[in-house]
């Protein structure tokens, strides 16, 4: 499982059944790039594409039962790892850390936007 594939699965776990084009936009991926990721996930039986009920040209992407089990397993592992990483930090300290990291991320996004960089290009 690649990081990009996990990113798709994590998003589907919160928004299952998204139209493939909307999923590409939300993940800031090109349609072709997302299509390749979904192709591989579908081949592995982790997701499935279904035609949209209203617009048959549009494809919706759903987690399969295998995908849902994989998400549950990965969440459990993630929670265990987070507990180990944050061991010794109080609830308040964890909240403060999350707020500080969110601020750093906002600053980085602003710097990227000011410079006109895109995610899909080399700096």
């Amino acid at each position: 499982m690649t990081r990009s594939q996990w990113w798709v699965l994590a998003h589907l776990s919160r928004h299952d059944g998204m139209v493939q084009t909307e999923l590409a936009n939300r993940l800031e991926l090109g349609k072709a790039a997302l299509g390749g990721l979904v192709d591989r996930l579908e081949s592995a039986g982790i997701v499935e594409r279904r035609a949209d009920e209203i617009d048959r040209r549009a494809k919706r992407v759903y987690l399969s039962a295998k995908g849902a089990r994989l998400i549950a397993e990965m969440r459990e592992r993630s929670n265990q790892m987070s507990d180990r990483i944050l061991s010794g930090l109080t609830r308040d300290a964890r909240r403060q850390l999350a707020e500080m990291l969110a601020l750093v991320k906002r600053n980085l996004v602003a710097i990227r936007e000011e410079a006109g960089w895109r995610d899909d290009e080399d700096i």
Side-chain angles (χ1 to χ4, degrees):
M1 172 88 33
T2 67
R3 181 180 142 190
S4 296
Q5 289 172 328
W6 174 245
W7 194 25
V8 171
L9 292 180
H11 199 76
L12 286 174
S13 73
R14 294 183 300 274
H15 307 284
D16 201 22
M18 290 188 70
V19 174
Q20 192 166 321
T21 302
E22 182 183 351
L23 182 59
N25 291 338
R26 288 237 186 129
L27 297 176
E28 297 178 356
L29 291 172
K31 292 178 189 177
L34 178 69
L37 289 168
V38 172
D39 285 344
R40 288 186 288 285
L41 291 167
E42 189 173 37
S43 293
I46 297 170
V47 301
E48 51 190 52
R49 289 182 176 115
R50 299 181 207 151
D52 184 84
E53 291 180 9
I54 297 169
D55 182 356
R56 295 284 182 198
R57 296 169 298 172
K59 298 291 183 194
R60 292 193 173 271
V61 184
Y62 294 89
L63 288 173
S64 67
K66 180 179 179 180
R69 286 189 304 273
L70 181 60
I71 289 288
E73 179 183 332
M74 294 303 288
R75 276 192 180 134
E76 178 61 28
R77 288 183 183 188
S78 175
N79 290 340
Q80 290 171 358
M81 183 59 72
S82 292
D83 285 344
R84 290 182 67 193
I85 291 168
L86 300 173
S87 178
L89 293 177
T90 65
R91 182 179 298 267
D92 190 50
R94 290 178 185 204
R95 183 191 50 74
Q96 289 174 350
L97 175 62
E99 289 172 359
M100 288 186 281
L101 290 173
L103 175 60
V104 169
K105 180 179 179 181
R106 286 192 303 272
N107 292 341
L108 288 170
V109 168
I111 291 167
R112 181 187 69 195
E113 289 173 356
E114 289 169 8
W117 296 329
R118 294 189 330 255
D119 286 339
D120 61 343
E121 69 183 354
D122 292 330
I123 297 173

